[in-house]
Amino acid sequence: MVQWPRRAILGGGLALPALARARATGVQAAWPSQPIKLIVPFAPGGTTDLIARLVATPLQEKLGQPIVVENRPGAGASVGSLLVAQAVPDGHTLLLSNIASHAISPALYGNLRYDPVRDFSHIALLTLNPSVFVAYPRAGIANLDDMARLHRERGLDMASSGSGSSNHLLIVRMGSILGREFNHIPFRGAGPAMTAVIGGQVPLMSDSLPSAASHIRQGSVKAIAMSSAERHPSFPDVPTFREQGHDVVTSSWFGLSGPAQLPRPIVDRLSREVSAILDTHSTRSRLAEIGGSAGQYSPEEYAAFVASEVALWGPLVRETGAKPD
């Protein structure tokens, strides 16, 4: 049985300058004293961006300072992640950490300049969700059998939000199962990738359910398979991979992190406020609508979760033979 959860390997540690530590200590009592940057390591329009904005609006109301969502895509989410790892740990620069930035890319890219565990303060798990294969409606692909037949006949292109994403790895895995690699088309985010599929430039895409949900409902793409263990209650008409003869189950995850040595009072405040946001009916309803489920991990639990993801994804990346595009 092929399980598609999580994990990766380690990079190199970052030395935090003494000046940065001193600055962080000096400002923590007044935190937050200025707008907070929330770095999203993917382009606008994808699940990472969507989750960041879903949490940022209520969080800025609770903290009394604006939260500026800043998209910094590139290299499997490692560009934006490195920026946060190197930031002063004063609570004014945070990261929407995710399975790509902290579990897959460290295994996929051998020269990352951050360690996904040691170089971050992991604060809260926000959500987990399945992946979905979607097709251009006029591509003649209604299910995985159609996809497999056409792929064996002529080879198919398949888009994703970028190299190093869990959806990239799912494409590689399915190519291995079918005995022919897909031509992976990496974009700088799920939004641009979905635009290409809707426009017919690429026939297929592997996407996280939250960013694909509205397009599936609108009929601008055809959902052909869901990576959940059972049919998703919000999309009961979309069959799973298992139902179609492929025992593949996978999920992606998104959380909130900051630089290493973030002062504990700031970590605790953020954890408390995020937990309250995830507990609200409006947030849970919105997550259910887009196919996600709220996470409720303490900082220690989320840090342990990230470490466990790191431990599993490295072997899985090597097993698939995935390479950066």
Side-chain angles (χ1 to χ4, degrees), residues 17-79:
L19 177 60
R21 289 196 294 270
R23 286 181 58 191
T25 302
V27 301
Q28 64 179 285
W31 183 86
S33 59
Q34 63 192 55
I36 295 169
K37 284 196 298 186
L38 177 55
I39 303 299
V40 174
F42 284 103
T47 299
T48 317
D49 186 66
L50 188 157
I51 298 301
R53 296 177 192 278
L54 179 65
V55 172
T57 299
L59 185 58
Q60 69 182 4
E61 294 173 0
K62 290 177 174 291
L63 298 179
Q65 286 283 354
I67 295 182
V68 180
V69 176
E70 187 173 307
N71 297 88
R72 291 295 189 96
S78 65
V79 171

Side-chain angles (χ1 to χ4, degrees), residues 285-316:
S285 296
R286 177 58 178 149
L287 286 174
E289 178 185 336
I290 60 179
S293 58
Q296 288 284 22
Y297 282 8
S298 69
E300 289 77 17
E301 289 170 335
Y302 184 42
F305 173 77
V306 172
S308 70
E309 292 285 281
V310 165
L312 185 66
W313 271 103
L316 292 176

Side-chain angles (χ1 to χ4, degrees), residues 126-194:
L126 300 177
T127 182
L128 299 99
N129 54 261
S131 293
V132 60
F133 276 10
V134 299
Y136 175 58
R138 286 181 281 184
I141 303 172
N143 50 51
L144 290 182
D145 283 345
D146 289 342
M147 183 191 77
R149 175 178 51 80
L150 291 174
H151 184 50
R152 290 186 179 115
E153 287 175 1
R154 62 175 187 253
L156 291 172
D157 296 341
M158 190 178 296
S160 81
S161 59
S163 296
S165 66
S166 57
N167 293 302
H168 170 204
L169 268 291
L170 185 54
I171 292 170
V172 173
R173 182 59 189 169
M174 283 306 300
S176 176
I177 289 172
L178 297 178
R180 180 172 184 172
E181 291 183 6
F182 288 91
N183 181 29
H184 177 226
I185 311 294
F187 286 78
R188 290 172 68 85
M194 183 63 73

Side-chain angles (χ1 to χ4, degrees), residues 88-94 121 123 258-264 266-267 270:
V88 174
D90 61 4
H92 294 106
T93 305
L94 302 174
S121 298
I123 299 162
Q261 301 189 33
L262 197 61
R264 187 66 199 206
I266 293 176
V267 171
L270 284 167

